[in-house]
Amino acid sequence: MLRPDTNPEAIIWDLDGTLVESAPDLATALNTLLNEQGQHGHPVDCVRPMIGGGVAVLIERGFHAAGTSLTEDERDALVPRFMEIYRECCTDSTALMPYARESLSFFYHAGAVQAVCTNKPLDVTDQILNSLDIMGYFGSVVGGDSTPHKKPHPQPLLTCLDELGVTPSQAVMIGDSGADVGAAQGAGVPIILVSGGYTGMPATALGADYVVTNLSQLPGSLVPK
């Protein structure tokens, strides 16, 4: 993989699996919902690759892994209950990924503007960012319900860029999944993936411009203007 040919003015971050380890709390919510519906739950390691497409997709994947198929209407009807459960536990075990705070601080002091672009609903995203004391780093936070489309559609990412006042050529996205790659490529933004995130495929197979093994490598890969 080639390094991005840019010194970015803006850094757009994915949340789950990139900046934060949220799988334990998401697994708690999913398994509680599954148990309420008479289904068996899943270990955190099994839930981790289910994350990334939004709540409805996580529910669908969780039920499918338990051996039950849901119609779209059945799946969507369970979203409010999942969110009720998740709001109660979303900061219990969720923590920053290694070197996340250091990377955010590095880009902040280097003068780059930063944003979060996630498929997680906005209210829970804000709750987590505030709990981890990192909200102040971001000039834009776009959640999965902030726009009509979720990643891999480019609209959420383009919304971040508009709110930051930058163009695609001035930005770089940092994520962990194919949804991030799709959104970035659709928006014309270079994409760096962090390996070991929430995806069932190796990061090197997802078509990113550059892959790092952990966030400590980012300052050496990108020097903001």
Side-chain angles (χ1 to χ4, degrees), residues 87-119:
R87 286 187 182 96
E88 294 297 318
C89 69
C90 68
T91 60
D92 287 355
S93 300
T94 292
L96 288 171
M97 288 290 194
Y99 307 106
R101 192 178 301 277
E102 293 86 346
S103 296
L104 290 168
S105 179
F106 172 84
F107 291 118
Y108 174 82
H109 288 291
V113 292
Q114 300 182 82
V116 168
C117 183
T118 176
N119 281 340

Short mmCIF file of all heavy atoms in Angstrom, two decimals, residues 87-119:
data_model
loop_
_atom_site.label_atom_id
_atom_site.label_comp_id
_atom_site.label_asym_id
_atom_site.label_seq_id
_atom_site.Cartn_x
_atom_site.Cartn_y
_atom_site.Cartn_z
N ARG A 87 -28.22 2.48 25.49
CA ARG A 87 -28.01 3.77 26.15
C ARG A 87 -27.67 3.60 27.63
O ARG A 87 -26.98 4.44 28.22
CB ARG A 87 -29.24 4.66 25.99
CG ARG A 87 -29.40 5.24 24.59
CD ARG A 87 -30.55 6.24 24.52
NE ARG A 87 -30.69 6.74 23.15
CZ ARG A 87 -31.54 6.26 22.26
NH1 ARG A 87 -32.34 5.24 22.60
NH2 ARG A 87 -31.60 6.76 21.04
N GLU A 88 -28.17 2.52 28.22
CA GLU A 88 -27.92 2.28 29.65
C GLU A 88 -26.53 1.70 29.91
O GLU A 88 -26.05 1.75 31.05
CB GLU A 88 -28.99 1.33 30.21
CG GLU A 88 -30.39 1.91 30.23
CD GLU A 88 -30.48 3.12 31.13
OE1 GLU A 88 -29.89 3.09 32.23
OE2 GLU A 88 -31.14 4.11 30.74
N CYS A 89 -25.88 1.15 28.89
CA CYS A 89 -24.61 0.47 29.13
C CYS A 89 -23.47 0.96 28.23
O CYS A 89 -22.36 0.44 28.31
CB CYS A 89 -24.76 -1.04 28.98
SG CYS A 89 -25.06 -1.62 27.28
N CYS A 90 -23.73 1.97 27.39
CA CYS A 90 -22.79 2.29 26.30
C CYS A 90 -21.46 2.84 26.76
O CYS A 90 -20.51 2.89 25.97
CB CYS A 90 -23.43 3.24 25.30
SG CYS A 90 -23.73 4.90 25.93
N THR A 91 -21.36 3.25 28.03
CA THR A 91 -20.07 3.73 28.54
C THR A 91 -19.52 2.85 29.66
O THR A 91 -18.53 3.21 30.29
CB THR A 91 -20.18 5.19 29.04
OG1 THR A 91 -21.14 5.26 30.09
CG2 THR A 91 -20.60 6.12 27.91
N ASP A 92 -20.14 1.70 29.88
CA ASP A 92 -19.69 0.84 30.98
C ASP A 92 -18.28 0.32 30.75
O ASP A 92 -17.44 0.35 31.66
CB ASP A 92 -20.65 -0.35 31.16
CG ASP A 92 -21.98 0.06 31.79
OD1 ASP A 92 -22.12 1.24 32.17
OD2 ASP A 92 -22.88 -0.80 31.87
N SER A 93 -18.03 -0.20 29.56
CA SER A 93 -16.72 -0.81 29.27
C SER A 93 -16.04 -0.21 28.05
O SER A 93 -14.92 -0.60 27.71
CB SER A 93 -16.89 -2.33 29.05
OG SER A 93 -17.43 -2.96 30.20
N THR A 94 -16.70 0.72 27.37
CA THR A 94 -16.12 1.34 26.18
C THR A 94 -14.93 2.21 26.57
O THR A 94 -15.00 3.00 27.50
CB THR A 94 -17.17 2.17 25.44
OG1 THR A 94 -18.15 1.28 24.89
CG2 THR A 94 -16.55 2.99 24.32
N ALA A 95 -13.82 2.05 25.85
CA ALA A 95 -12.58 2.76 26.17
C ALA A 95 -11.89 3.19 24.89
O ALA A 95 -12.18 2.68 23.80
CB ALA A 95 -11.65 1.85 26.97
N LEU A 96 -10.98 4.14 25.01
CA LEU A 96 -10.20 4.56 23.87
C LEU A 96 -9.27 3.45 23.41
O LEU A 96 -8.73 2.69 24.22
CB LEU A 96 -9.36 5.80 24.22
CG LEU A 96 -10.12 7.11 24.38
CD1 LEU A 96 -9.19 8.18 24.95
CD2 LEU A 96 -10.70 7.56 23.05
N MET A 97 -9.07 3.36 22.10
CA MET A 97 -8.08 2.45 21.56
C MET A 97 -6.69 2.93 21.97
O MET A 97 -6.48 4.11 22.25
CB MET A 97 -8.18 2.41 20.03
CG MET A 97 -9.40 1.70 19.50
SD MET A 97 -9.29 -0.08 19.81
CE MET A 97 -10.59 -0.69 18.72
N PRO A 98 -5.71 2.02 22.02
CA PRO A 98 -4.34 2.44 22.33
C PRO A 98 -3.88 3.55 21.39
O PRO A 98 -4.10 3.49 20.19
CB PRO A 98 -3.53 1.15 22.12
CG PRO A 98 -4.51 0.05 22.38
CD PRO A 98 -5.82 0.55 21.85
N TYR A 99 -3.27 4.56 21.97
CA TYR A 99 -2.70 5.71 21.26
C TYR A 99 -3.75 6.64 20.64
O TYR A 99 -3.40 7.56 19.91
CB TYR A 99 -1.72 5.27 20.17
CG TYR A 99 -0.64 4.34 20.66
CD1 TYR A 99 -0.69 2.98 20.35
CD2 TYR A 99 0.40 4.80 21.46
CE1 TYR A 99 0.29 2.11 20.81
CE2 TYR A 99 1.38 3.94 21.93
CZ TYR A 99 1.33 2.60 21.61
OH TYR A 99 2.28 1.74 22.06
N ALA A 100 -5.04 6.43 20.95
CA ALA A 100 -6.06 7.29 20.37
C ALA A 100 -5.94 8.72 20.90
O ALA A 100 -5.94 9.69 20.12
CB ALA A 100 -7.45 6.75 20.67
N ARG A 101 -5.83 8.88 22.21
CA ARG A 101 -5.74 10.22 22.77
C ARG A 101 -4.48 10.93 22.30
O ARG A 101 -4.50 12.12 21.99
CB ARG A 101 -5.80 10.17 24.30
CG ARG A 101 -6.00 11.55 24.94
CD ARG A 101 -6.10 11.47 26.45
NE ARG A 101 -7.19 10.63 26.90
CZ ARG A 101 -8.46 11.04 27.01
NH1 ARG A 101 -8.78 12.27 26.66
NH2 ARG A 101 -9.39 10.22 27.45
N GLU A 102 -3.39 10.19 22.23
CA GLU A 102 -2.13 10.79 21.77
C GLU A 102 -2.24 11.25 20.32
O GLU A 102 -1.72 12.31 19.95
CB GLU A 102 -0.98 9.79 21.92
CG GLU A 102 -0.62 9.44 23.35
CD GLU A 102 -1.45 8.30 23.92
OE1 GLU A 102 -2.50 7.94 23.33
OE2 GLU A 102 -1.05 7.76 24.98
N SER A 103 -2.92 10.46 19.48
CA SER A 103 -3.08 10.83 18.08
C SER A 103 -3.98 12.05 17.93
O SER A 103 -3.69 12.97 17.15
CB SER A 103 -3.66 9.66 17.28
OG SER A 103 -2.78 8.56 17.27
N LEU A 104 -5.08 12.08 18.67
CA LEU A 104 -5.97 13.23 18.63
C LEU A 104 -5.23 14.49 19.06
O LEU A 104 -5.37 15.56 18.44
CB LEU A 104 -7.17 13.00 19.54
CG LEU A 104 -8.18 11.96 19.08
CD1 LEU A 104 -9.14 11.62 20.20
CD2 LEU A 104 -8.95 12.45 17.86
N SER A 105 -4.45 14.38 20.11
CA SER A 105 -3.69 15.53 20.60
C SER A 105 -2.64 15.98 19.60
O SER A 105 -2.44 17.19 19.37
CB SER A 105 -3.02 15.17 21.94
OG SER A 105 -2.25 16.26 22.42
N PHE A 106 -1.97 15.02 18.97
CA PHE A 106 -0.95 15.37 17.98
C PHE A 106 -1.54 16.19 16.85
O PHE A 106 -1.01 17.25 16.48
CB PHE A 106 -0.32 14.10 17.42
CG PHE A 106 0.60 14.35 16.25
CD1 PHE A 106 1.92 14.71 16.46
CD2 PHE A 106 0.14 14.23 14.94
CE1 PHE A 106 2.77 14.96 15.38
CE2 PHE A 106 0.98 14.48 13.86
CZ PHE A 106 2.30 14.85 14.09
N PHE A 107 -2.65 15.72 16.26
CA PHE A 107 -3.23 16.43 15.13
C PHE A 107 -3.83 17.77 15.57
O PHE A 107 -3.78 18.75 14.82
CB PHE A 107 -4.28 15.56 14.44
CG PHE A 107 -3.68 14.40 13.71
CD1 PHE A 107 -4.00 13.10 14.06
CD2 PHE A 107 -2.79 14.60 12.67
CE1 PHE A 107 -3.45 12.02 13.40
CE2 PHE A 107 -2.22 13.53 12.00
CZ PHE A 107 -2.55 12.24 12.36
N TYR A 108 -4.38 17.82 16.77
CA TYR A 108 -4.92 19.07 17.29
C TYR A 108 -3.81 20.13 17.41
O TYR A 108 -3.97 21.26 16.93
CB TYR A 108 -5.56 18.82 18.66
CG TYR A 108 -6.02 20.08 19.36
CD1 TYR A 108 -7.24 20.67 19.04
CD2 TYR A 108 -5.23 20.66 20.35
CE1 TYR A 108 -7.66 21.82 19.69
CE2 TYR A 108 -5.64 21.81 21.00
CZ TYR A 108 -6.85 22.39 20.67
OH TYR A 108 -7.26 23.54 21.31
N HIS A 109 -2.70 19.76 18.00
CA HIS A 109 -1.61 20.71 18.19
C HIS A 109 -0.88 21.02 16.88
O HIS A 109 -0.22 22.07 16.77
CB HIS A 109 -0.64 20.19 19.24
CG HIS A 109 -1.19 20.23 20.63
ND1 HIS A 109 -1.42 21.41 21.30
CD2 HIS A 109 -1.59 19.24 21.46
CE1 HIS A 109 -1.93 21.15 22.50
NE2 HIS A 109 -2.05 19.84 22.62
N ALA A 110 -1.02 20.13 15.88
CA ALA A 110 -0.45 20.39 14.57
C ALA A 110 -1.32 21.32 13.74
O ALA A 110 -0.91 21.74 12.65
CB ALA A 110 -0.24 19.08 13.83
N GLY A 111 -2.52 21.63 14.23
CA GLY A 111 -3.38 22.58 13.53
C GLY A 111 -4.42 21.98 12.62
O GLY A 111 -5.11 22.72 11.90
N ALA A 112 -4.57 20.66 12.62
CA ALA A 112 -5.59 20.03 11.79
C ALA A 112 -6.95 20.11 12.48
O ALA A 112 -7.04 20.00 13.70
CB ALA A 112 -5.24 18.57 11.52
N VAL A 113 -8.01 20.31 11.69
CA VAL A 113 -9.35 20.18 12.23
C VAL A 113 -9.74 18.71 12.16
O VAL A 113 -9.27 17.97 11.29
CB VAL A 113 -10.36 21.05 11.46
CG1 VAL A 113 -10.09 22.53 11.72
CG2 VAL A 113 -10.34 20.76 9.97
N GLN A 114 -10.61 18.27 13.08
CA GLN A 114 -10.94 16.85 13.18
C GLN A 114 -12.45 16.66 13.32
O GLN A 114 -13.16 17.53 13.82
CB GLN A 114 -10.22 16.22 14.37
CG GLN A 114 -8.70 16.32 14.27
CD GLN A 114 -7.99 15.65 15.43
OE1 GLN A 114 -7.80 14.44 15.44
NE2 GLN A 114 -7.57 16.44 16.41
N ALA A 115 -12.92 15.49 12.87
CA ALA A 115 -14.33 15.16 12.93
C ALA A 115 -14.50 13.68 13.19
O ALA A 115 -13.57 12.89 12.98
CB ALA A 115 -15.04 15.55 11.64
N VAL A 116 -15.69 13.29 13.63
CA VAL A 116 -16.08 11.90 13.76
C VAL A 116 -17.19 11.63 12.76
O VAL A 116 -18.17 12.39 12.67
CB VAL A 116 -16.56 11.56 15.18
CG1 VAL A 116 -17.25 10.19 15.21
CG2 VAL A 116 -15.41 11.58 16.16
N CYS A 117 -17.06 10.56 12.00
CA CYS A 117 -18.07 10.12 11.03
C CYS A 117 -18.36 8.65 11.33
O CYS A 117 -17.54 7.78 11.01
CB CYS A 117 -17.56 10.31 9.61
SG CYS A 117 -18.77 9.89 8.33
N THR A 118 -19.50 8.38 11.94
CA THR A 118 -19.80 7.04 12.43
C THR A 118 -21.21 6.63 12.02
O THR A 118 -22.07 7.49 11.80
CB THR A 118 -19.67 6.98 13.96
OG1 THR A 118 -20.06 5.69 14.45
CG2 THR A 118 -20.53 8.04 14.64
N ASN A 119 -21.47 5.34 11.97
CA ASN A 119 -22.82 4.84 11.76
C ASN A 119 -23.59 4.67 13.07
O ASN A 119 -24.76 4.30 13.05
CB ASN A 119 -22.78 3.51 11.00
CG ASN A 119 -22.55 3.69 9.51
OD1 ASN A 119 -22.78 4.76 8.96
ND2 ASN A 119 -22.08 2.64 8.85
#
